[in-house]
Amino acid sequence: MNAPARHESYVLEDGEKSVELTEDTKIPNAATIKIVKQDHTLGNMLRAQLLAMPQILFAGYKVPHPLHPYFIIKIQTDGTITPQEILEQACTKLIATMSNLETKFKREFSYKDVEAGGVTAAAGEDPYGTAGGAGTGAWGRGRDYLDF
Amino acid sequence: MQAQEDVEPTVRIREVKKDRVNFVLGNVDLAFANSLRRVMMADIPTVAIDMVEIETNTTVLPDEFIAHRLGMIPLVSANCDEAIRYTRDCICLAGCSFCSMMLELKVACDDDNTMEVTSAHLEVVPFPEEEGSQDPGEELSKRGEWFGHPVGKNDPNVPPVLITKIRKGQELKIRCIAKKAAKEHAKFSPCSAISFEYDPYNKLRHTTWWYETNVEDEWPLSENAKEEEAPRDDEPFDFNAKPNKFYFEVETDGSLGPQEVVMKVRLRPACCS
């Protein structure tokens, strides 16, 4: 009855900001970033990417509550770059890896297409080919159970 | 750590079949590979029955039982990025042909045998268009011939999904609305299973094998172990080692082809960064 709309967990509302940055008041070169409508899929990937960068002193993320659709990520850098900039760099790198992976996948799939003579191409568009309609073929297929 | 940065990811597809793809992903982070898996499982939209209007149900199963079963039936969703809108983005008031599919199930048993009601009885019916709706959408032209139909309906080699069994005098009259969504419910997932493995020899000790007498006998190596070098008996534990090769097998339920599932991944998490 008063359940929230189901897509609220992954679709931004009108005017809602997806990223919110709070600078740390006590630790130098540190910030906490709240990312809304995202979960471990992005959080963990981003954290791992940040840790692989040499300017990072600390990066960690948490999803404070499984029912609240956001995570927070804490970043501390060595001062040569701000947390915001390094986060942007990390995202750019991830996107680059993603598109690189996509081209690789495309190429691999096209090789497979040639090998299999187009079988997989059909699978991409229409997984069950163009075989004639079975329609209501299953009608009255029941076995000989007799009604009493 | 930096060594991994400039290395490009590698992909080797080992097998593609109608409903599955098996590939090896290399030179990426464990977190990245896991995100790929998570996106394929949860974030790819498909079409599934989402609202059910029951006119007559005199079967032995209660209404909600049947409604649930209808929701789980995979519907052909190829190209659903372009072929259908999200209801929340549509201008219609309560569903139209651009954001939903209508399916009907009208079955009655009047002979003496038990009848099986299956997904093959589900018929896609055109949406009753309300007057004066001049929607310029081009979604309808992007749909394949079988879009929105239960998977396997056009293929006699695919057994249909059993919904219920009815006897003489019982009847089922149902109208269903199918919608596009992702993540909201497991029924929208195009994957029936994704297997994900790395480090088949457990060199990294990410897991502990429990055993009674002998580890080797009780934990047979997987097929993927052939891809990697077996550790020597005297090999010291390398605590700096990182997983580098990930073995995937993506199995779909037929609503999308395996190629489409894998290729759609990039579109989703990238949009959020």
Side-chain angles (χ1 to χ4, degrees):
Chain A
M1 221 173 14
N2 31 15
R6 288 186 308 182
H7 61 257
E8 261 179 36
S9 67
Y10 65 102
V11 180
L12 285 172
E13 275 153 56
D14 285 342
E16 194 178 20
K17 286 267 192 297
S18 67
V19 181
E20 189 184 301
L21 184 133
T22 323
E23 274 182 37
D24 206 298
T25 50
K26 290 179 182 153
I27 310 166
N29 307 314
T32 308
I33 296 127
K34 180 182 177 188
I35 298 182
V36 182
K37 306 287 154 100
Q38 290 294 339
D39 58 2
H40 298 277
T41 306
L42 181 68
N44 191 30
M45 188 164 67
L46 211 49
R47 192 222 56 183
Q49 177 63 50
L50 284 167
L51 288 175
M53 299 167 108
Q55 304 96 320
I56 284 284
L57 294 185
F58 177 86
Y61 86 104
K62 71 173 172 185
V63 177
H65 193 284
L67 291 178
H68 295 155
Y70 71 90
F71 70 84
I72 49 182
I73 185 161
K74 252 182 205 266
I75 303 172
Q76 189 188 7
T77 65
D78 59 6
T80 54
I81 189 170
T82 65
Q84 185 186 338
E85 279 165 344
I86 198 138
L87 184 69
E88 280 167 16
Q89 272 185 21
C91 291
T92 320
K93 266 201 176 133
L94 281 177
I95 294 171
T97 319
M98 275 286 182
S99 27
N100 191 307
L101 196 61
E102 193 191 17
T103 25
K104 294 254 164 77
F105 261 117
K106 241 184 208 151
R107 205 170 58 207
E108 280 287 311
F109 272 116
S110 64
Y111 289 158
K112 286 283 164 188
D113 273 357
V114 176
E115 273 172 41
V119 173
T120 48
E125 279 305 302
D126 179 4
Y128 288 100
T130 46
T136 49
W139 267 90
R141 212 215 310 184
R143 276 143 289 166
D144 289 321
Y145 290 87
L146 279 177
D147 281 345
F148 295 108
Chain B
M1 265 209 269
Q2 272 110 302
Q4 226 179 33
E5 274 201 31
D6 297 306
V7 189
E8 296 198 333
T10 58
V11 177
R12 183 161 49 85
I13 298 181
R14 294 198 287 195
E15 186 187 40
V16 189
K17 283 197 175 154
K18 200 167 67 176
D19 65 339
R20 64 188 61 226
V21 57
N22 187 307
F23 62 88
V24 186
L25 185 64
N27 286 338
V28 294
D29 218 44
L30 172 58
F32 187 92
N34 189 44
S35 291
L36 180 73
R37 182 192 63 87
R38 281 176 64 97
V39 170
M40 288 193 288
M41 279 215 296
D43 293 332
I44 292 176
T46 65
V47 178
I49 291 173
D50 201 33
M51 284 203 294
V52 175
E53 229 171 73
I54 296 177
E55 197 180 319
T56 317
N57 173 20
T58 48
T59 68
V60 291
L61 293 186
D63 293 0
E64 38 278 79
F65 212 128
I66 289 176
H68 178 245
R69 288 184 173 198
L70 286 167
M72 309 303 281
I73 295 170
L75 306 178
V76 175
S77 315
N79 193 28
C80 74
D81 270 341
E82 291 174 323
I84 191 165
R85 290 177 202 158
Y86 289 108
T87 313
R88 58 173 183 271
D89 296 337
C90 193
I91 48 170
C92 66
L93 292 174
C96 66
S97 53
F98 294 99
C99 65
S100 348
M101 300 285 298
M102 194 177 273
L103 294 100
E104 269 182 356
L105 182 67
K106 282 185 179 163
V107 190
C109 180
D110 44 18
D111 65 6
D112 287 337
N113 298 327
T114 305
M115 199 176 115
E116 295 186 347
V117 182
T118 67
S119 63
H121 291 117
L122 273 171
E123 300 286 349
V124 173
V125 293
F127 232 87
E129 271 321 315
E130 57 268 41
E131 289 298 311
S133 74
Q134 300 294 319
D135 201 305
E138 52 186 26
E139 276 82 358
L140 301 183
S141 62
K142 305 258 183 183
R143 287 181 192 171
E145 188 190 354
W146 295 101
F147 187 83
H149 288 70
V151 165
K153 182 152 177 174
N154 50 341
D155 187 347
N157 300 320
V158 179
V161 182
L162 180 66
I163 299 166
T164 181
K165 294 186 180 182
I166 55 177
R167 59 170 275 173
K168 193 176 187 177
Q170 296 180 338
E171 195 190 6
L172 206 51
K173 242 183 174 176
I174 292 176
R175 173 172 291 182
C176 316
I177 308 283
K179 291 185 170 175
K180 176 168 84 164
K183 217 169 191 182
E184 292 173 10
H185 191 285
K187 71 186 174 190
F188 294 112
S189 172
C191 299
S192 45
I194 297 184
S195 77
F196 174 78
E197 189 186 19
Y198 62 93
D199 188 26
Y201 286 102
N202 195 25
K203 288 183 209 166
L204 306 171
R205 305 194 190 171
H206 282 194
T207 186
T208 314
W209 284 332
W210 181 91
Y211 61 96
E212 280 194 345
T213 46
N214 186 314
V215 205
E216 275 86 27
D217 295 346
E218 290 165 44
W219 289 95
L221 291 167
S222 78
E223 280 293 300
N224 299 327
K226 288 175 192 158
E227 299 252 350
E228 291 191 14
E229 219 173 295
R232 284 174 287 111
D233 284 338
D234 57 344
E235 198 168 298
F237 174 53
D238 178 5
F239 51 85
N240 281 318
K242 283 187 155 187
N244 192 286
K245 248 178 146 184
F246 303 91
Y247 308 93
F248 282 83
E249 170 137 342
V250 180
E251 183 187 328
T252 74
D253 62 10
S255 52
L256 294 176
Q259 182 169 358
E260 205 175 345
V261 170
V262 177
M263 295 313 293
K264 270 188 177 181
V265 165
R266 197 191 76 91
L267 298 169
R268 279 150 236 292
C271 64
C272 51
S273 327

